[in-house]
Amino acid sequence: MIIKSRLLAGTALVSLLALSACSTEAADANADAESTQASTVTVEHAQGSTDVPVNPETVYTFDLGALDTMDALDIDVDGVPAANFPESLSQYGAEEITKIGSMKEPDFEAINAGAPDLIIISGRVADSYEELSKIAPTIDLSVDNADAWNSFKKNTQTLGSIFDKEDLVEEKLDALEGKVEDTKELAADAGNGLIVMTSGGEMTAYGAGSRFGIIHDVLGVTPAAEVKSEGTHGESVSFNYIADTNPDHLFVIDRDVAVGTSGEAASAVLDNGLVKSTNASRNGKIVPLDSASWYLVGYGLNNVDTMVNTVHDAL
Amino acid sequence: MTVPSTPVPAPAPASAAAPPERRRLVRSTAALVLGVCAVVVLAAVSLFVGVGDLSLASLLAGDPTTAMLFWVSQLPRTLSIVLAGMALSVAGLIMQLMARNKFVEPSTVGTVESAQLGILAVTVLLPGASMFLKMSTASVFAAAGTALFLLILRRIPLRNTLIVPLVGIMLGGVISAVTTFFAYRTDLLQTLNSWMIGDFSGVLRGRYELLWIVGALTVIGYLAADRFTVAGMGQDFTTNLGLNYNRVMALGLVIVSLISAVVVVSVGSIPFLGLIVPNLVSLLIGDNVRRAVPWVAVFGAGFVLLCDIIGRTIRYPYEIPVGVVVSAVGSVIFLYLLLRKRGSHA
């Protein structure tokens, strides 16, 4: 993270304004520049690097993880997508917060009209990076699932540097790392685990390096099977697979609840002899993961804390 | 009311000078025996394919885990594949008779798309709806969509072979667009996928029994096959033979819609099946519908069994949904049939 106080740029900008105003003299402009300090931060992110103003006035975010982090750092967010916010972020569903599209589709008119100073995006709207960059400085804070923890830390520190809260971020990250270490110790001799998501009565399994890989990669739960799910979608599996893998812990995300349907609840989908034959079921270790927290929000300061606690308490 | 039946001539030894009709019969009988054998073999494979060390030996030895796997998961899955494969193929055949066109089937005339719209409507309006309610609503929607297609078809003066499926695909596209729009607005796109793409991975004892309904419908379809042939000749012809045209059409509509709706509700859509199987059968044994129905059923079951086994083994232990496999294989065969027909009639 390089912070540059761009006096030169500031001077140039102010002198341009001065020229257009056609009245002020250059000498005055120089003096002005020294006092206003129009400073920016150069942010390295998933799609390149962007110059972002320090403490931007109006912030829009498509990434609920970043929203959760900013919420934890007491930063005002002015625009969010229309989504089924989890309990912890329900205040952002309110009328007065600008709605900037859906989780997957930016509403360019609304964003343009709102004239934001910073737009934060991630995987779901990553393709709109070019378009959004034309409106305002845009940064892509997607978490790299292959190196989730460092990626999450880097994103959080980025937000810290933009909003001038580096110390608070470090403090919170340190506390989190402590919890992660505790959980790792527990996980070391707690047996293995399998992560599944249920949707429409069918199941997909997720492994290390997947969107829910934090359980294996960061918290050290031994994977019950080598699930090679790359990208955001898991592997389609049958109930036989669950019985055959016989995990000691079964972590279950109910996709139909994540999107606000009360379809077949995961418990009903999993209520069958094959699942009941597993160690996880016998020892009461079928762990429901809050779908909003795991599926929609993901890597945010408060939310990671919640996720770590969930796994910690389940082991 | 008795169903007019066609007496089947007794098979005779094929000789070089045998009339084509007889030769065809011999060929078809041989194929039927082969077909039935193939389906039995495939079903046996399907029973023992899958995750878990399930083998005939351990099943006969009475190992409780193996027995549980077999009764709860393997057997229901194989049964549901056979039922769905048979029923969808026969539904395709009936649809083709009703529309007097070889290139239609429930997934190319808007039936399946309408059923999906019906399920979506139930899911949005009555989230906790029972399976039966979902199925009923899907059936009503499917019937309405199919009826709409048949009405449009009546208003098309020139019935070019290729226009009919095109109209159907367009209608299906429109209905599908409506469904997708509402699914998008209600955040159900991913859930919609589970009805869009047929998948037997979630089939367990207690979750497939609705499919016995389509088994019964297949039998009804067989018994009434000749009427659909007659109805396919048009309204005047049917009335002259003393059949109630509208009643026959309504019966066909009910059978096709119910079969499509039940299969979509329980496993999802399996496109092209009702198209390929009847066409292949007609290549083999000709167009005697009454004789063709058992074949269509046997071939349909075999084809889906094969596709599901492929889907289960190609990326073992993970699965590729059967809908994807059938579509991939089916679209190629569909194109072949289309181009072949074009070539001979152009």
Side-chain angles (χ1 to χ4, degrees):
Chain A
M1 211 57 47
I2 317 154
I3 305 178
K4 288 183 189 166
S5 180
R6 300 199 166 185
L7 263 180
L8 270 177
T11 315
L13 187 76
V14 177
S15 39
L16 264 178
L17 287 172
L19 278 175
S20 62
C22 286
S23 61
T24 343
E25 284 176 29
D28 288 347
N30 267 334
D32 280 354
E34 276 162 36
S35 58
T36 46
Q37 296 258 337
S39 56
T40 59
V41 187
T42 305
V43 174
E44 300 287 337
H45 56 83
Q47 301 200 41
S49 71
T50 305
D51 292 346
V52 176
V54 171
N55 277 321
E57 186 72 22
T58 309
V59 182
Y60 287 179
T61 179
F62 279 97
D63 183 50
L64 299 191
L67 175 68
D68 181 71
T69 297
M70 291 188 280
D71 189 62
L73 301 173
D74 274 334
I75 296 162
D76 285 336
V77 177
D78 308 276
V80 294
N84 293 299
F85 289 101
E87 206 53 41
S88 56
L89 297 170
S90 53
Q91 69 271 27
Y92 292 98
E95 290 280 316
E96 54 270 21
I97 309 266
T98 312
K99 294 297 175 285
I100 54 175
S102 74
M103 294 288 291
K104 286 184 179 243
E105 290 284 331
D107 177 348
F108 292 106
E109 281 84 3
I111 297 168
N112 206 9
D117 302 299
L118 170 65
I119 304 172
I120 300 168
I121 60 170
S122 62
R124 286 186 177 98
V125 288
D127 297 348
S128 309
Y129 174 69
E130 298 291 334
E131 285 294 309
L132 291 167
S133 292
K134 291 174 189 163
I135 300 175
T138 303
I139 55 175
D140 180 348
L141 294 186
S142 300
V143 167
D144 173 11
N145 285 327
D147 187 13
W149 187 253
N150 290 326
S151 178
F152 157 66
K153 262 173 68 174
K154 184 171 160 277
N155 284 344
T156 313
Q157 285 158 344
T158 300
L159 288 170
S161 68
I162 294 173
F163 294 97
D164 213 6
K165 297 202 183 227
E166 280 107 329
D167 299 348
L168 183 59
V169 165
E170 285 314 313
E171 188 186 313
K172 283 188 180 271
L173 283 175
D174 284 346
L176 263 182
E177 298 214 290
K179 278 191 180 172
V180 170
E181 287 309 315
D182 291 350
T183 313
K184 264 189 183 160
E185 275 173 34
L186 269 183
D189 40 26
N192 60 27
L194 178 71
I195 311 164
V196 293
M197 184 158 82
T198 61
S199 179
E202 284 147 13
M203 286 179 311
T204 43
Y206 291 80
S210 70
R211 66 192 302 170
F212 307 120
I214 180 174
I215 293 179
H216 300 311
D217 306 328
V218 179
L219 301 174
V221 175
T222 316
E226 287 298 315
V227 184
K228 290 194 273 297
S229 55
E230 286 157 17
T232 54
H233 297 287
E235 296 282 7
S236 181
V237 296
S238 63
F239 294 99
N240 293 7
Y241 177 85
I242 309 265
D244 205 40
T245 308
N246 192 9
D248 299 320
H249 299 82
L250 187 62
F251 298 96
V252 185
I253 298 120
D254 189 342
R255 162 73 185 133
D256 290 346
V257 169
V259 291
T261 57
S262 51
E264 261 192 303
S267 56
V269 175
L270 296 172
D271 181 19
N272 61 67
L274 296 172
V275 172
K276 283 184 179 145
S277 72
T278 59
N279 291 340
S281 174
R282 279 201 288 263
N283 305 328
K285 293 289 186 187
I286 294 184
V287 187
L289 301 178
D290 179 65
S291 53
S293 153
W294 288 77
Y295 185 85
L296 288 175
V297 182
Y299 292 95
L301 262 183
N302 284 337
N303 196 48
V304 168
D305 191 53
T306 311
M307 295 199 291
V308 173
N309 286 339
T310 303
V311 177
H312 182 280
D313 296 345
L315 292 172
Chain B
M1 218 173 177
T2 52
V3 181
S5 68
T6 325
V8 180
S15 65
E21 175 59 30
R22 192 162 290 176
R23 246 191 323 215
R24 180 180 275 168
L25 190 71
V26 171
R27 216 170 44 179
S28 75
T29 315
L32 182 55
V33 174
L34 272 177
V36 172
C37 288
V39 168
V40 170
V41 170
L42 285 169
V45 171
S46 168
L47 283 175
F48 293 100
V49 162
V51 190
D53 34 11
L54 183 70
S55 69
L56 193 55
S58 65
L59 184 68
L60 295 177
D63 173 40
T65 320
T66 314
M68 197 262 300
L69 263 180
F70 184 81
W71 293 111
V72 173
S73 156
Q74 300 297 95
L75 184 66
R77 180 166 185 158
T78 303
L79 280 174
S80 62
I81 292 167
V82 169
L83 287 170
M86 278 172 36
L88 285 176
S89 308
V90 172
L93 178 66
I94 293 172
M95 194 68 235
Q96 284 158 27
L97 294 171
M98 285 163 60
R100 260 196 290 182
N101 185 296
K102 285 250 175 201
F103 296 115
V104 294
E105 70 113 29
S107 74
T108 62
V109 302
T111 312
V112 169
E113 289 82 359
S114 309
Q116 284 164 345
L117 182 59
I119 306 178
L120 182 76
V122 178
T123 310
V124 172
L125 301 175
L126 300 162
S130 67
M131 234 7 195
F132 185 77
L133 188 63
K134 274 187 185 165
M135 188 197 84
S136 318
T137 317
S139 307
V140 171
F141 273 75
T146 317
L148 182 63
F149 169 73
L150 291 171
L151 283 176
I152 293 173
L153 218 54
R154 278 192 194 180
R155 305 198 175 274
I156 296 176
L158 276 175
R159 288 239 195 145
N160 175 317
T161 330
L162 291 182
I163 293 286
V164 177
L166 277 179
V167 168
I169 288 170
M170 282 191 264
L171 176 68
V174 171
I175 297 168
S176 211
V178 172
T179 311
T180 309
F181 173 76
F182 282 111
Y184 176 75
R185 294 297 295 264
T186 50
D187 244 350
L188 280 170
L189 276 178
Q190 290 217 354
T191 311
L192 188 68
N193 264 347
S194 62
W195 313 313
M196 289 264 186
I197 301 167
D199 185 358
F200 290 100
S201 71
V203 171
L204 289 174
R205 189 172 61 197
R207 294 186 198 172
Y208 80 101
E209 281 71 2
L210 279 178
L211 286 167
W212 288 109
I213 298 173
V214 306
L217 288 166
T218 311
V219 174
I220 296 171
Y222 170 63
L223 295 176
D226 289 334
R227 298 166 186 224
F228 299 125
T229 313
V230 173
M233 307 278 184
Q235 183 153 8
D236 300 342
F237 189 90
T238 313
T239 316
N240 284 345
L241 284 182
L243 272 177
N244 183 329
Y245 176 77
N246 286 333
R247 202 177 290 168
V248 176
M249 287 305 259
L251 176 67
L253 195 70
V254 168
I255 294 178
V256 170
S257 309
L258 263 177
I259 287 178
S260 308
V262 173
V263 173
V264 169
V265 167
S266 33
V267 294
S269 139
I270 307 178
F272 289 121
L273 188 66
L275 187 93
I276 304 158
V277 175
N279 276 291
L280 290 179
V281 168
S282 122
L283 285 182
L284 264 174
I285 67 162
D287 283 338
N288 180 335
V289 173
R290 187 157 183 93
R291 220 170 54 200
V293 173
W295 298 89
V296 170
V298 167
F299 271 55
F303 187 63
V304 183
L305 276 169
L306 185 65
C307 287
D308 189 64
I309 292 168
I310 293 171
R312 271 195 274 182
T313 48
I314 226 168
R315 295 192 62 234
Y316 183 89
Y318 313 114
E319 305 206 358
I320 297 172
V322 73
V324 174
V325 182
V326 173
S327 304
V329 178
S331 52
V332 172
I333 300 179
F334 182 35
L335 281 174
Y336 164 76
L337 291 170
L338 270 178
L339 297 172
R340 190 185 143 276
K341 276 274 182 216
R342 287 276 309 261
S344 59
H345 288 292

